[in-house]
Amino acid sequence: MGLGNRLWRGHLAPHAIIAGGIFITLVMISLCATVLYDARLDAMDRARDTSRNLALIAQRDIERNFELCALSLQAVVDGMRDPAVLALPPRLRRQVLFDRAATAKYLGSMLVLDASGNIVVDSAGDVPRQGNFSDRKYFIVQRDSPNAGLYISDPFSSRLRNGSPSIALSRRLSHPDGSFAGIVLIAMNLEYFHTLFAGLSLGPHGAVSLIGRNGIMIMRQPYDVRTIGRDIGKAATFRRFRTAAEGSFSETASIDGVRRLYYFRNFPDLPLIIMVAEAEQDIYAGWRRRATTIGSLMIAFALAFVALAFLLGAQLRRRMRAESELELLARTDGLTGLNNRRTLGEILDQEWRRARRTHSMFSLLFVDIDRFKAYNDTYGHQAGDDALAAVARCIGNNIRRPADSAARYGGEEFVVVLPDTPPAGAALIAEQIRAAISELAIEHAGSEYGRVTASIGAASWAPEQDSDVTAVIKATDEALYNAKATGRNKVSPFWQDKKG
């Protein structure tokens, strides 16, 4: 019999070692794939952060220049209302009205037009150039809308500067009675935006655009004169730009068919949208090189490991057995730091038997995060893990007595064991835990409360000598179900006295 047992083991061992080697190899390949996948996500996150930073840089530069233009326009409006300024000789009046704004880089014409659209004051010289601009939209809007304020036009070809592509910022001039007296305008060369965007590094297939909220393209890098002034209001990407103040998403561009990660920001005080988009092929270029290298090395290592499994089978089997035993001995949940389910079973059994001996009240809480699956689906598993850890800290912070304990029961459910605790005390602790979780104010778009909340079932029991702990577990679970069924984010108590 002993010889047969040894033969059986000798026959089985090679197969077990080979199977173990293959299994471990698959695990290593899976871990490698997980790491590479996480690296891919990290590459996307880094690209999103880079796009956001570039958009902020461009936005602040544009806002600063537009603010200077707006102040210059207002200064001219105020000057045109001052009889003393109007009475000055043309040269002095021009210097007073336009100061140094007319010499700023990328600024074109700075003009005052009368009510008919004719140039009456010109920053370019003491004698105004000839021209009528009553057909321009920036004139028509100011003429027809007394409260238009600062108006930013769509791109146009300048008539005074040989068709140079420009946009105009304009303000209305009014007579004392409020009637239309003309406009003040500054023409800004689109070369300013071209130069600004050209300095942003987005890879060979990246793009950055400035778009009016009406969907008109003001500037796009890479530059193509055919895209300037193009209406993209019906494009899927533009519709996404109007859904929020800022955000990011992946989409295929309607202009060139390249799939990009888009980051967009709506200017808070200007009718403009800045969009920075990095092509996915550029985002993942470095990752693909690393993935190819690491993947090739991992495959080679996996094949070598399977070959060595014949020699290392015994040692590997002992190591796996030791690791398995260590895992069985583990008593805490790795994510939350609370007791795990196995330890919970021991605590429940111990405290229940003690409560029976001492005839004391035994309380139990079931804490369940509301709509946690929806939270995971919306924000991702990493955010879900962070939420679980935060909830666990709330629970731990609200049970102070040494005899009280908490455990992660599974998934998003936690159990709190409260020995020698009457119903009122259990309800108080449960409410403290519920409030603390709600006060975390973790955003949860899928919840009716807009934040992460928890429902809590509470049960208090005076165990009899022949009773079983499953009764209080069942009662607590029913209380939790009631809390869920009656609105969530609440404590539902259940208790039983010795007569019940």
Side-chain angles (χ1 to χ4, degrees), residues 8 18 50 121 148-149 188 215 257 311 342 347 356-357 481 495:
W8 177 80
I18 293 171
T50 300
V121 184
M188 179 177 287
L311 300 175
R342 177 189 175 197
I347 293 172
R356 284 195 307 184
R357 288 196 309 271
Y481 177 81
W495 59 81

Side-chain angles (χ1 to χ4, degrees), residues 222-233:
Y223 180 75
D224 184 346
V225 68
R226 293 172 297 179
T227 65
I228 305 305
R230 178 175 174 178
D231 188 351
I232 63 167

Side-chain angles (χ1 to χ4, degrees), residues 284-426:
Y284 296 131
W287 174 84
R288 288 192 183 96
R289 290 192 295 270
R290 291 193 299 272
T292 300
T293 302
I294 295 172
S296 300
L297 291 174
M298 178 54 67
I299 291 172
F301 179 76
L303 293 174
F305 189 85
V306 171
L308 289 173
F310 288 96
L311 300 175
L312 302 177
Q315 292 86 340
L316 180 61
R317 183 171 57 185
R318 285 196 295 270
R319 181 177 177 180
M320 291 178 65
R321 185 183 299 114
E323 290 179 351
S324 178
E325 291 171 355
L326 287 174
E327 185 177 354
L328 291 174
L329 291 175
R331 300 181 61 83
T332 57
D333 176 63
L335 175 63
T336 63
L338 300 179
N339 293 317
N340 60 20
R341 189 164 181 170
R342 177 189 175 197
T343 307
L344 172 65
E346 297 173 358
I347 293 172
L348 282 174
D349 182 63
Q350 175 184 337
E351 295 299 336
W352 184 259
R353 285 189 283 107
R354 192 176 69 81
R356 284 195 307 184
R357 288 196 309 271
T358 60
H359 302 287
S360 59
M361 186 66 72
F362 177 93
S363 293
L364 196 64
L365 308 180
F366 274 12
V367 182
D368 188 89
I369 301 176
D370 297 324
R371 305 195 186 282
F372 189 71
K373 183 180 183 302
Y375 184 89
N376 262 346
D377 292 343
T378 302
Y379 300 96
H381 290 289
Q382 182 58 55
D385 288 348
D386 293 342
L388 287 171
V391 169
R393 287 194 294 271
C394 287
I395 295 172
N397 292 339
N398 285 279
I399 54 173
R400 306 296 177 86
R401 298 184 309 174
D404 298 341
S405 59
R408 185 180 178 191
Y409 191 68
E412 69 274 20
E413 194 170 37
F414 301 83
V415 175
V416 181
V417 181
L418 303 172
D420 298 322
T421 304

Side-chain angles (χ1 to χ4, degrees), residues 207-238:
V208 57
S209 299
L210 183 68
I211 310 162
R213 287 189 185 163
N214 59 357
I216 300 300
M217 181 70 69
I218 296 174
M219 177 54 65
R220 183 177 187 273
Q221 182 69 25
Y223 180 75
D224 184 346
V225 68
R226 293 172 297 179
T227 65
I228 305 305
R230 178 175 174 178
D231 188 351
I232 63 167
K234 295 182 180 179
T237 50
F238 181 78

